Amino acid sequence: MSTPETTTDTAAPAEEAAGHGDLTVGVQGASGTGEATASATRITPGNALRPEDIALAVSRGTAKPSEDAAELALRLGDDALILAQRLGHWISRAPELEEDIALGNIALDQLGHARSFLSYAGGLDGRSEDDLAYFRREHEFRSVSLFEQPNGDFAVTIARQFVVSYYQFELYRRLADSTDATLAGIAAKAVKEVDYHRDHSAQWVLRLAHGTDESRARMIHGFQVIWPYVEELFRDDELTGRLSAAGVAVQPSSLRADFDRLTGEVLAEAELEVPQVQPAPGGGRRGLHSEHLGYVLAEMQVLAREFPGASW
Amino acid sequence: MASQTLQSVPAEPSPARHEMSPEDAARRDAEGQAYFDKVMAEDSRIEPRDWMPPAYRKTLLRQISQHAHSEIIGMQPEANWISRAPSLKRKAILMAKVQDEAGHGLYLYSAAETLGQPRDAMMQDLMSGKAKYSSIFNYPARTWADMGAIGWMVDGAAIANQVPLCRASFGPYGRAMVRVCKEESFHQRQGFEILLELSHGTPEQKQMAQDAVNRWYAPALMMFGPPDDDSPNSKQSMAWNIKRFSNDELRNRFVGMMMEQVKVLGLTLPDKDIRFNEETKKWEHGPLDWEEFHEVIAGRGQCNAQRLERRREAHQNGAWVREAAAAYAKKQARKQAEKETAA
């Protein structure tokens, strides 16, 4: 399993000329490895790790998560699932046809990651991705507040995506080195896609910040709305402590410096300040969610719950 | 390939048309027409750079932009179920499908733009109600089984219509259709698979599938357009090698395919008059409610107002984003120019 380069300079201002105007720059972070030529958006089923492969490995017993690894997979899977559910709403409502496609792509990537993580998490007790997505109750979900935040206007969606993408990139980049081979495999695939998401959101941050007075005001507002939920992403707890000791995953707090540096570079180029807002306490990792999640789940789960046990 | 003796006449004349003498302009038109006629006779292709009769251009522009609008409005009934798809795999497939439709809209708007109309103008015509789109999308997607019926029947009818369009005489349209048809055939298979799963599921699921097939059958047949004796534009489109088969011909062929496939599904089509006519060797179907068809086209369908309002809303809500992107691009271009001057 190859690991993308650790120097993450794709959003650095020095790269600007070749960077933000060029949608392909995002995948260059993975240069120098055998998979460097793989496209972020067109991964052939031949060498990609699909959710179905993980479900199969789990059912055959060739992949089985530890209790802690399963809990981590649940956390990351729920984050990605709820975000996919949010982003899917933009399809047919975006500002441009091109964005219907782009946001749809990002939603699809997130849904793919969610399915992989949940398939693996379910390996602990034999539950499927759909058992976990459709038949858990709200307090059993492990997503954090950021991913649950409503779409708002396009600027709020971009602000949320910007934070998510830079966080997920740092997270998956390290998780690709996990001692847990399945988590490493999921992360190695996901990091390439998330790299593209970083590029997409960074370009929009620059466009909106330097576009018109209105777009700048909306971008500033977007970050203000989203920033209270940044803190929770980097909070360590007992689980992450044990996972870190076992070499399964790093402590979330260790991602912060790179996150701050790289988002800071884009914000500086956009001539935006890091919003001075108070952090929300969160609690999603313990099942204490934002008020929004219940509605998201109600909509997502309604049909599956009308026909429990049915196959689709 | 088209002609050894006749030359293509450029669509954009130089000098400009209004600077030509009437005699020159007439001679130019005659040469253009001669080349065009030759291309039609040889069943070859007209490209955007070629002279073409104004009526041909107008017909194509109308047809391609309507087709693009249908893709864009057609995203809505299916987007309606993305958030409620009953499994994560189905959700992923549905998202990808609706996203494909946005892509089809893009290819088609691009093809139409080669005829001289910008995308934004076409969008305005759609939102003002001046331009039409396929009336099928004014029916509501009421249940999950509608995702199956739309894929199987609506996309199925679209394929039957569009495969011959891959050979349309206008190059960009024909080429766009090749790619669109590939994706549509995947869409149809996924629709069929949804119905197959439902019809082999619980009795309630099977009922849901049958109900969806019952509701989408007649509207899908009407997608081929009015009966031949009531289709004024068809003849000219066939002479121009845009259309290859008549509405009724395609419709009958489609009914035959449905009849075979519905057996595999274990469902029925809501039409007792379907039969294969041994004499004509053609499939026949029962009467269709053309009054309803014309009502929906006239704007009095279940979802006409909703679909257009949703498009307008998305467009209006996105106005500030498009303005920002344009302003940013302009600033970047200016910066780049300054850099170059300084260097």
Side-chain angles (χ1 to χ4, degrees), chain A residues 111-144:
Chain A
L111 184 55
H113 307 162
R115 294 183 60 205
S116 292
F117 281 126
L118 293 181
S119 293
Y120 189 47
L124 187 68
D125 57 9
R127 281 187 285 180
S128 70
E129 54 174 350
D130 288 336
D131 293 336
L132 289 170
Y134 292 98
F135 294 96
R136 271 183 303 157
R137 297 176 61 202
E138 184 177 328
H139 67 273
E140 296 172 292
F141 275 77
R142 290 291 174 266
S143 46
V144 289

PDB file of all heavy atoms in Angstrom, chain A residues 111-144:
ATOM      1  N   LEU A 111     -19.537   9.000   0.257  1.00  0.00           N
ATOM      2  CA  LEU A 111     -20.397   7.836   0.457  1.00  0.00           C
ATOM      3  C   LEU A 111     -19.605   6.540   0.290  1.00  0.00           C
ATOM      4  O   LEU A 111     -19.801   5.582   1.043  1.00  0.00           O
ATOM      5  CB  LEU A 111     -21.569   7.894  -0.532  1.00  0.00           C
ATOM      6  CG  LEU A 111     -22.639   6.804  -0.422  1.00  0.00           C
ATOM      7  CD1 LEU A 111     -23.227   6.732   0.983  1.00  0.00           C
ATOM      8  CD2 LEU A 111     -23.759   7.057  -1.437  1.00  0.00           C
ATOM      9  N   GLY A 112     -18.705   6.539  -0.658  1.00  0.00           N
ATOM     10  CA  GLY A 112     -17.849   5.371  -0.853  1.00  0.00           C
ATOM     11  C   GLY A 112     -16.980   5.112   0.375  1.00  0.00           C
ATOM     12  O   GLY A 112     -16.849   3.975   0.835  1.00  0.00           O
ATOM     13  N   HIS A 113     -16.413   6.174   0.936  1.00  0.00           N
ATOM     14  CA  HIS A 113     -15.588   6.003   2.137  1.00  0.00           C
ATOM     15  C   HIS A 113     -16.454   5.493   3.285  1.00  0.00           C
ATOM     16  O   HIS A 113     -16.051   4.604   4.036  1.00  0.00           O
ATOM     17  CB  HIS A 113     -14.926   7.326   2.545  1.00  0.00           C
ATOM     18  CG  HIS A 113     -14.160   7.983   1.430  1.00  0.00           C
ATOM     19  ND1 HIS A 113     -13.797   9.302   1.445  1.00  0.00           N
ATOM     20  CD2 HIS A 113     -13.699   7.495   0.249  1.00  0.00           C
ATOM     21  CE1 HIS A 113     -13.144   9.604   0.337  1.00  0.00           C
ATOM     22  NE2 HIS A 113     -13.084   8.524  -0.413  1.00  0.00           N
ATOM     23  N   ALA A 114     -17.649   6.077   3.399  1.00  0.00           N
ATOM     24  CA  ALA A 114     -18.558   5.660   4.477  1.00  0.00           C
ATOM     25  C   ALA A 114     -18.878   4.180   4.359  1.00  0.00           C
ATOM     26  O   ALA A 114     -18.850   3.440   5.349  1.00  0.00           O
ATOM     27  CB  ALA A 114     -19.851   6.489   4.413  1.00  0.00           C
ATOM     28  N   ARG A 115     -19.176   3.750   3.154  1.00  0.00           N
ATOM     29  CA  ARG A 115     -19.545   2.340   2.963  1.00  0.00           C
ATOM     30  C   ARG A 115     -18.377   1.422   3.331  1.00  0.00           C
ATOM     31  O   ARG A 115     -18.573   0.366   3.933  1.00  0.00           O
ATOM     32  CB  ARG A 115     -19.970   2.105   1.507  1.00  0.00           C
ATOM     33  CG  ARG A 115     -21.264   2.840   1.138  1.00  0.00           C
ATOM     34  CD  ARG A 115     -21.671   2.517  -0.284  1.00  0.00           C
ATOM     35  NE  ARG A 115     -21.901   1.093  -0.443  1.00  0.00           N
ATOM     36  CZ  ARG A 115     -21.809   0.426  -1.588  1.00  0.00           C
ATOM     37  NH1 ARG A 115     -21.476   1.079  -2.694  1.00  0.00           N
ATOM     38  NH2 ARG A 115     -22.036  -0.859  -1.638  1.00  0.00           N
ATOM     39  N   SER A 116     -17.166   1.826   2.968  1.00  0.00           N
ATOM     40  CA  SER A 116     -16.005   1.008   3.299  1.00  0.00           C
ATOM     41  C   SER A 116     -15.801   0.948   4.810  1.00  0.00           C
ATOM     42  O   SER A 116     -15.632  -0.132   5.386  1.00  0.00           O
ATOM     43  CB  SER A 116     -14.752   1.586   2.641  1.00  0.00           C
ATOM     44  OG  SER A 116     -14.833   1.439   1.242  1.00  0.00           O
ATOM     45  N   PHE A 117     -15.823   2.103   5.451  1.00  0.00           N
ATOM     46  CA  PHE A 117     -15.605   2.128   6.901  1.00  0.00           C
ATOM     47  C   PHE A 117     -16.714   1.357   7.629  1.00  0.00           C
ATOM     48  O   PHE A 117     -16.445   0.590   8.557  1.00  0.00           O
ATOM     49  CB  PHE A 117     -15.556   3.575   7.412  1.00  0.00           C
ATOM     50  CG  PHE A 117     -14.230   4.266   7.171  1.00  0.00           C
ATOM     51  CD1 PHE A 117     -14.167   5.485   6.517  1.00  0.00           C
ATOM     52  CD2 PHE A 117     -13.043   3.702   7.625  1.00  0.00           C
ATOM     53  CE1 PHE A 117     -12.948   6.135   6.301  1.00  0.00           C
ATOM     54  CE2 PHE A 117     -11.807   4.334   7.422  1.00  0.00           C
ATOM     55  CZ  PHE A 117     -11.773   5.556   6.755  1.00  0.00           C
ATOM     56  N   LEU A 118     -17.953   1.561   7.211  1.00  0.00           N
ATOM     57  CA  LEU A 118     -19.060   0.902   7.918  1.00  0.00           C
ATOM     58  C   LEU A 118     -19.049  -0.609   7.671  1.00  0.00           C
ATOM     59  O   LEU A 118     -19.352  -1.389   8.579  1.00  0.00           O
ATOM     60  CB  LEU A 118     -20.408   1.507   7.506  1.00  0.00           C
ATOM     61  CG  LEU A 118     -20.638   2.968   7.940  1.00  0.00           C
ATOM     62  CD1 LEU A 118     -22.017   3.456   7.493  1.00  0.00           C
ATOM     63  CD2 LEU A 118     -20.481   3.149   9.454  1.00  0.00           C
ATOM     64  N   SER A 119     -18.710  -1.005   6.456  1.00  0.00           N
ATOM     65  CA  SER A 119     -18.621  -2.446   6.183  1.00  0.00           C
ATOM     66  C   SER A 119     -17.594  -3.089   7.111  1.00  0.00           C
ATOM     67  O   SER A 119     -17.785  -4.187   7.626  1.00  0.00           O
ATOM     68  CB  SER A 119     -18.213  -2.711   4.732  1.00  0.00           C
ATOM     69  OG  SER A 119     -19.236  -2.303   3.862  1.00  0.00           O
ATOM     70  N   TYR A 120     -16.498  -2.361   7.307  1.00  0.00           N
ATOM     71  CA  TYR A 120     -15.438  -2.899   8.172  1.00  0.00           C
ATOM     72  C   TYR A 120     -15.884  -2.883   9.639  1.00  0.00           C
ATOM     73  O   TYR A 120     -15.713  -3.884  10.357  1.00  0.00           O
ATOM     74  CB  TYR A 120     -14.159  -2.083   7.991  1.00  0.00           C
ATOM     75  CG  TYR A 120     -12.948  -2.678   8.675  1.00  0.00           C
ATOM     76  CD1 TYR A 120     -12.653  -4.045   8.544  1.00  0.00           C
ATOM     77  CD2 TYR A 120     -12.099  -1.899   9.452  1.00  0.00           C
ATOM     78  CE1 TYR A 120     -11.543  -4.597   9.168  1.00  0.00           C
ATOM     79  CE2 TYR A 120     -10.985  -2.440  10.068  1.00  0.00           C
ATOM     80  CZ  TYR A 120     -10.714  -3.793   9.932  1.00  0.00           C
ATOM     81  OH  TYR A 120      -9.624  -4.340  10.553  1.00  0.00           O
ATOM     82  N   ALA A 121     -16.492  -1.772  10.063  1.00  0.00           N
ATOM     83  CA  ALA A 121     -16.952  -1.669  11.459  1.00  0.00           C
ATOM     84  C   ALA A 121     -17.927  -2.790  11.790  1.00  0.00           C
ATOM     85  O   ALA A 121     -17.892  -3.374  12.879  1.00  0.00           O
ATOM     86  CB  ALA A 121     -17.610  -0.312  11.696  1.00  0.00           C
ATOM     87  N   GLY A 122     -18.798  -3.100  10.822  1.00  0.00           N
ATOM     88  CA  GLY A 122     -19.797  -4.136  11.042  1.00  0.00           C
ATOM     89  C   GLY A 122     -19.191  -5.520  11.201  1.00  0.00           C
ATOM     90  O   GLY A 122     -19.854  -6.440  11.703  1.00  0.00           O
ATOM     91  N   GLY A 123     -17.942  -5.655  10.761  1.00  0.00           N
ATOM     92  CA  GLY A 123     -17.260  -6.936  10.879  1.00  0.00           C
ATOM     93  C   GLY A 123     -17.100  -7.391  12.322  1.00  0.00           C
ATOM     94  O   GLY A 123     -16.867  -8.571  12.586  1.00  0.00           O
ATOM     95  N   LEU A 124     -17.238  -6.467  13.248  1.00  0.00           N
ATOM     96  CA  LEU A 124     -17.080  -6.825  14.662  1.00  0.00           C
ATOM     97  C   LEU A 124     -18.204  -7.751  15.116  1.00  0.00           C
ATOM     98  O   LEU A 124     -17.969  -8.732  15.826  1.00  0.00           O
ATOM     99  CB  LEU A 124     -17.075  -5.548  15.512  1.00  0.00           C
ATOM    100  CG  LEU A 124     -16.754  -5.742  16.992  1.00  0.00           C
ATOM    101  CD1 LEU A 124     -15.302  -6.181  17.164  1.00  0.00           C
ATOM    102  CD2 LEU A 124     -17.013  -4.449  17.765  1.00  0.00           C
ATOM    103  N   ASP A 125     -19.437  -7.430  14.713  1.00  0.00           N
ATOM    104  CA  ASP A 125     -20.569  -8.233  15.196  1.00  0.00           C
ATOM    105  C   ASP A 125     -21.495  -8.699  14.080  1.00  0.00           C
ATOM    106  O   ASP A 125     -22.644  -9.050  14.318  1.00  0.00           O
ATOM    107  CB  ASP A 125     -21.360  -7.454  16.250  1.00  0.00           C
ATOM    108  CG  ASP A 125     -21.848  -6.115  15.713  1.00  0.00           C
ATOM    109  OD1 ASP A 125     -21.713  -5.876  14.493  1.00  0.00           O
ATOM    110  OD2 ASP A 125     -22.360  -5.306  16.499  1.00  0.00           O
ATOM    111  N   GLY A 126     -20.989  -8.680  12.849  1.00  0.00           N
ATOM    112  CA  GLY A 126     -21.766  -9.243  11.740  1.00  0.00           C
ATOM    113  C   GLY A 126     -22.848  -8.342  11.178  1.00  0.00           C
ATOM    114  O   GLY A 126     -23.723  -8.803  10.445  1.00  0.00           O
ATOM    115  N   ARG A 127     -22.792  -7.043  11.491  1.00  0.00           N
ATOM    116  CA  ARG A 127     -23.790  -6.146  10.901  1.00  0.00           C
ATOM    117  C   ARG A 127     -23.289  -5.619   9.555  1.00  0.00           C
ATOM    118  O   ARG A 127     -22.083  -5.434   9.357  1.00  0.00           O
ATOM    119  CB  ARG A 127     -24.078  -4.971  11.840  1.00  0.00           C
ATOM    120  CG  ARG A 127     -25.035  -5.377  12.966  1.00  0.00           C
ATOM    121  CD  ARG A 127     -25.454  -4.187  13.792  1.00  0.00           C
ATOM    122  NE  ARG A 127     -24.387  -3.741  14.689  1.00  0.00           N
ATOM    123  CZ  ARG A 127     -24.517  -2.698  15.514  1.00  0.00           C
ATOM    124  NH1 ARG A 127     -25.652  -1.997  15.531  1.00  0.00           N
ATOM    125  NH2 ARG A 127     -23.533  -2.352  16.305  1.00  0.00           N
ATOM    126  N   SER A 128     -24.219  -5.361   8.635  1.00  0.00           N
ATOM    127  CA  SER A 128     -23.848  -4.849   7.310  1.00  0.00           C
ATOM    128  C   SER A 128     -23.791  -3.322   7.348  1.00  0.00           C
ATOM    129  O   SER A 128     -24.252  -2.696   8.308  1.00  0.00           O
ATOM    130  CB  SER A 128     -24.878  -5.291   6.273  1.00  0.00           C
ATOM    131  OG  SER A 128     -26.094  -4.587   6.504  1.00  0.00           O
ATOM    132  N   GLU A 129     -23.258  -2.739   6.252  1.00  0.00           N
ATOM    133  CA  GLU A 129     -23.249  -1.276   6.147  1.00  0.00           C
ATOM    134  C   GLU A 129     -24.664  -0.721   6.287  1.00  0.00           C
ATOM    135  O   GLU A 129     -24.876   0.323   6.906  1.00  0.00           O
ATOM    136  CB  GLU A 129     -22.634  -0.840   4.805  1.00  0.00           C
ATOM    137  CG  GLU A 129     -23.296  -1.496   3.593  1.00  0.00           C
ATOM    138  CD  GLU A 129     -22.807  -0.967   2.242  1.00  0.00           C
ATOM    139  OE1 GLU A 129     -22.093   0.041   2.229  1.00  0.00           O
ATOM    140  OE2 GLU A 129     -23.155  -1.563   1.211  1.00  0.00           O
ATOM    141  N   ASP A 130     -25.644  -1.429   5.697  1.00  0.00           N
ATOM    142  CA  ASP A 130     -27.013  -0.932   5.760  1.00  0.00           C
ATOM    143  C   ASP A 130     -27.629  -1.102   7.151  1.00  0.00           C
ATOM    144  O   ASP A 130     -28.414  -0.259   7.589  1.00  0.00           O
ATOM    145  CB  ASP A 130     -27.875  -1.626   4.697  1.00  0.00           C
ATOM    146  CG  ASP A 130     -27.526  -1.149   3.294  1.00  0.00           C
ATOM    147  OD1 ASP A 130     -27.000  -0.020   3.164  1.00  0.00           O
ATOM    148  OD2 ASP A 130     -27.764  -1.895   2.328  1.00  0.00           O
ATOM    149  N   ASP A 131     -27.284  -2.189   7.849  1.00  0.00           N
ATOM    150  CA  ASP A 131     -27.746  -2.316   9.242  1.00  0.00           C
ATOM    151  C   ASP A 131     -27.285  -1.094  10.029  1.00  0.00           C
ATOM    152  O   ASP A 131     -28.043  -0.509  10.803  1.00  0.00           O
ATOM    153  CB  ASP A 131     -27.146  -3.563   9.912  1.00  0.00           C
ATOM    154  CG  ASP A 131     -27.670  -4.858   9.304  1.00  0.00           C
ATOM    155  OD1 ASP A 131     -28.778  -4.828   8.727  1.00  0.00           O
ATOM    156  OD2 ASP A 131     -26.963  -5.882   9.399  1.00  0.00           O
ATOM    157  N   LEU A 132     -26.037  -0.738   9.813  1.00  0.00           N
ATOM    158  CA  LEU A 132     -25.466   0.368  10.595  1.00  0.00           C
ATOM    159  C   LEU A 132     -26.035   1.718  10.165  1.00  0.00           C
ATOM    160  O   LEU A 132     -26.311   2.573  10.988  1.00  0.00           O
ATOM    161  CB  LEU A 132     -23.935   0.372  10.454  1.00  0.00           C
ATOM    162  CG  LEU A 132     -23.234  -0.789  11.165  1.00  0.00           C
ATOM    163  CD1 LEU A 132     -21.758  -0.848  10.785  1.00  0.00           C
ATOM    164  CD2 LEU A 132     -23.392  -0.684  12.678  1.00  0.00           C
ATOM    165  N   ALA A 133     -26.228   1.904   8.877  1.00  0.00           N
ATOM    166  CA  ALA A 133     -26.706   3.203   8.402  1.00  0.00           C
ATOM    167  C   ALA A 133     -28.184   3.410   8.698  1.00  0.00           C
ATOM    168  O   ALA A 133     -28.600   4.517   9.060  1.00  0.00           O
ATOM    169  CB  ALA A 133     -26.454   3.339   6.902  1.00  0.00           C
ATOM    170  N   TYR A 134     -28.962   2.367   8.540  1.00  0.00           N
ATOM    171  CA  TYR A 134     -30.414   2.545   8.563  1.00  0.00           C
ATOM    172  C   TYR A 134     -31.093   2.112   9.857  1.00  0.00           C
ATOM    173  O   TYR A 134     -32.223   2.494  10.120  1.00  0.00           O
ATOM    174  CB  TYR A 134     -31.048   1.780   7.398  1.00  0.00           C
ATOM    175  CG  TYR A 134     -30.692   2.374   6.059  1.00  0.00           C
ATOM    176  CD1 TYR A 134     -29.659   1.850   5.285  1.00  0.00           C
ATOM    177  CD2 TYR A 134     -31.373   3.484   5.577  1.00  0.00           C
ATOM    178  CE1 TYR A 134     -29.320   2.408   4.064  1.00  0.00           C
ATOM    179  CE2 TYR A 134     -31.049   4.052   4.364  1.00  0.00           C
ATOM    180  CZ  TYR A 134     -30.016   3.510   3.603  1.00  0.00           C
ATOM    181  OH  TYR A 134     -29.686   4.078   2.401  1.00  0.00           O
ATOM    182  N   PHE A 135     -30.420   1.286  10.646  1.00  0.00           N
ATOM    183  CA  PHE A 135     -31.121   0.734  11.799  1.00  0.00           C
ATOM    184  C   PHE A 135     -30.452   1.043  13.139  1.00  0.00           C
ATOM    185  O   PHE A 135     -30.743   0.405  14.134  1.00  0.00           O
ATOM    186  CB  PHE A 135     -31.353  -0.771  11.603  1.00  0.00           C
ATOM    187  CG  PHE A 135     -32.299  -1.024  10.459  1.00  0.00           C
ATOM    188  CD1 PHE A 135     -31.812  -1.315   9.190  1.00  0.00           C
ATOM    189  CD2 PHE A 135     -33.671  -0.905  10.628  1.00  0.00           C
ATOM    190  CE1 PHE A 135     -32.681  -1.505   8.120  1.00  0.00           C
ATOM    191  CE2 PHE A 135     -34.546  -1.096   9.562  1.00  0.00           C
ATOM    192  CZ  PHE A 135     -34.053  -1.404   8.298  1.00  0.00           C
ATOM    193  N   ARG A 136     -29.559   2.019  13.127  1.00  0.00           N
ATOM    194  CA  ARG A 136     -29.093   2.534  14.411  1.00  0.00           C
ATOM    195  C   ARG A 136     -29.906   3.760  14.767  1.00  0.00           C
ATOM    196  O   ARG A 136     -30.390   4.474  13.892  1.00  0.00           O
ATOM    197  CB  ARG A 136     -27.599   2.920  14.327  1.00  0.00           C
ATOM    198  CG  ARG A 136     -26.653   1.781  14.647  1.00  0.00           C
ATOM    199  CD  ARG A 136     -25.218   2.263  14.611  1.00  0.00           C
ATOM    200  NE  ARG A 136     -24.899   2.850  13.312  1.00  0.00           N
ATOM    201  CZ  ARG A 136     -23.923   3.730  13.108  1.00  0.00           C
ATOM    202  NH1 ARG A 136     -23.177   4.158  14.115  1.00  0.00           N
ATOM    203  NH2 ARG A 136     -23.702   4.188  11.905  1.00  0.00           N
ATOM    204  N   ARG A 137     -30.001   4.031  16.062  1.00  0.00           N
ATOM    205  CA  ARG A 137     -30.702   5.236  16.500  1.00  0.00           C
ATOM    206  C   ARG A 137     -29.692   6.375  16.647  1.00  0.00           C
ATOM    207  O   ARG A 137     -28.490   6.168  16.608  1.00  0.00           O
ATOM    208  CB  ARG A 137     -31.443   4.945  17.801  1.00  0.00           C
ATOM    209  CG  ARG A 137     -32.525   3.871  17.584  1.00  0.00           C
ATOM    210  CD  ARG A 137     -33.195   3.497  18.876  1.00  0.00           C
ATOM    211  NE  ARG A 137     -33.852   4.675  19.464  1.00  0.00           N
ATOM    212  CZ  ARG A 137     -34.144   4.777  20.762  1.00  0.00           C
ATOM    213  NH1 ARG A 137     -33.829   3.790  21.596  1.00  0.00           N
ATOM    214  NH2 ARG A 137     -34.749   5.847  21.225  1.00  0.00           N
ATOM    215  N   GLU A 138     -30.248   7.554  16.807  1.00  0.00           N
ATOM    216  CA  GLU A 138     -29.411   8.755  16.768  1.00  0.00           C
ATOM    217  C   GLU A 138     -28.226   8.680  17.726  1.00  0.00           C
ATOM    218  O   GLU A 138     -27.085   8.987  17.346  1.00  0.00           O
ATOM    219  CB  GLU A 138     -30.277   9.971  17.077  1.00  0.00           C
ATOM    220  CG  GLU A 138     -29.514  11.277  16.960  1.00  0.00           C
ATOM    221  CD  GLU A 138     -30.420  12.488  17.195  1.00  0.00           C
ATOM    222  OE1 GLU A 138     -31.615  12.425  16.861  1.00  0.00           O
ATOM    223  OE2 GLU A 138     -29.911  13.494  17.722  1.00  0.00           O
ATOM    224  N   HIS A 139     -28.474   8.260  18.963  1.00  0.00           N
ATOM    225  CA  HIS A 139     -27.386   8.285  19.955  1.00  0.00           C
ATOM    226  C   HIS A 139     -26.331   7.216  19.668  1.00  0.00           C
ATOM    227  O   HIS A 139     -25.266   7.221  20.268  1.00  0.00           O
ATOM    228  CB  HIS A 139     -27.947   8.126  21.365  1.00  0.00           C
ATOM    229  CG  HIS A 139     -28.549   6.772  21.622  1.00  0.00           C
ATOM    230  ND1 HIS A 139     -29.866   6.466  21.326  1.00  0.00           N
ATOM    231  CD2 HIS A 139     -28.004   5.632  22.107  1.00  0.00           C
ATOM    232  CE1 HIS A 139     -30.097   5.201  21.631  1.00  0.00           C
ATOM    233  NE2 HIS A 139     -28.991   4.660  22.102  1.00  0.00           N
ATOM    234  N   GLU A 140     -26.645   6.308  18.766  1.00  0.00           N
ATOM    235  CA  GLU A 140     -25.662   5.281  18.405  1.00  0.00           C
ATOM    236  C   GLU A 140     -24.726   5.745  17.284  1.00  0.00           C
ATOM    237  O   GLU A 140     -23.774   5.051  16.939  1.00  0.00           O
ATOM    238  CB  GLU A 140     -26.376   3.996  17.988  1.00  0.00           C
ATOM    239  CG  GLU A 140     -27.179   3.373  19.120  1.00  0.00           C
ATOM    240  CD  GLU A 140     -28.046   2.215  18.633  1.00  0.00           C
ATOM    241  OE1 GLU A 140     -29.004   2.478  17.874  1.00  0.00           O
ATOM    242  OE2 GLU A 140     -27.751   1.078  18.999  1.00  0.00           O
ATOM    243  N   PHE A 141     -25.042   6.871  16.672  1.00  0.00           N
ATOM    244  CA  PHE A 141     -24.141   7.419  15.645  1.00  0.00           C
ATOM    245  C   PHE A 141     -22.952   8.082  16.322  1.00  0.00           C
ATOM    246  O   PHE A 141     -23.017   8.504  17.471  1.00  0.00           O
ATOM    247  CB  PHE A 141     -24.898   8.401  14.740  1.00  0.00           C
ATOM    248  CG  PHE A 141     -25.612   7.697  13.616  1.00  0.00           C
ATOM    249  CD1 PHE A 141     -26.801   7.019  13.842  1.00  0.00           C
ATOM    250  CD2 PHE A 141     -25.066   7.673  12.341  1.00  0.00           C
ATOM    251  CE1 PHE A 141     -27.442   6.335  12.812  1.00  0.00           C
ATOM    252  CE2 PHE A 141     -25.703   6.999  11.307  1.00  0.00           C
ATOM    253  CZ  PHE A 141     -26.888   6.323  11.540  1.00  0.00           C
ATOM    254  N   ARG A 142     -21.845   8.171  15.586  1.00  0.00           N
ATOM    255  CA  ARG A 142     -20.596   8.674  16.161  1.00  0.00           C
ATOM    256  C   ARG A 142     -20.029   9.869  15.397  1.00  0.00           C
ATOM    257  O   ARG A 142     -18.855  10.203  15.531  1.00  0.00           O
ATOM    258  CB  ARG A 142     -19.555   7.536  16.192  1.00  0.00           C
ATOM    259  CG  ARG A 142     -19.876   6.446  17.200  1.00  0.00           C
ATOM    260  CD  ARG A 142     -19.731   6.970  18.618  1.00  0.00           C
ATOM    261  NE  ARG A 142     -20.166   6.025  19.637  1.00  0.00           N
ATOM    262  CZ  ARG A 142     -21.400   6.005  20.180  1.00  0.00           C
ATOM    263  NH1 ARG A 142     -22.312   6.870  19.800  1.00  0.00           N
ATOM    264  NH2 ARG A 142     -21.686   5.122  21.122  1.00  0.00           N
ATOM    265  N   SER A 143     -20.832  10.488  14.545  1.00  0.00           N
ATOM    266  CA  SER A 143     -20.369  11.640  13.765  1.00  0.00           C
ATOM    267  C   SER A 143     -20.183  12.857  14.669  1.00  0.00           C
ATOM    268  O   SER A 143     -20.859  12.984  15.692  1.00  0.00           O
ATOM    269  CB  SER A 143     -21.392  11.960  12.680  1.00  0.00           C
ATOM    270  OG  SER A 143     -22.702  11.957  13.230  1.00  0.00           O
ATOM    271  N   VAL A 144     -19.285  13.756  14.263  1.00  0.00           N
ATOM    272  CA  VAL A 144     -19.103  15.012  14.999  1.00  0.00           C
ATOM    273  C   VAL A 144     -19.929  16.125  14.349  1.00  0.00           C
ATOM    274  O   VAL A 144     -20.379  16.004  13.207  1.00  0.00           O
ATOM    275  CB  VAL A 144     -17.615  15.426  15.085  1.00  0.00           C
ATOM    276  CG1 VAL A 144     -16.849  14.498  16.012  1.00  0.00           C
ATOM    277  CG2 VAL A 144     -16.979  15.476  13.712  1.00  0.00           C
TER     278      VAL A 144
END
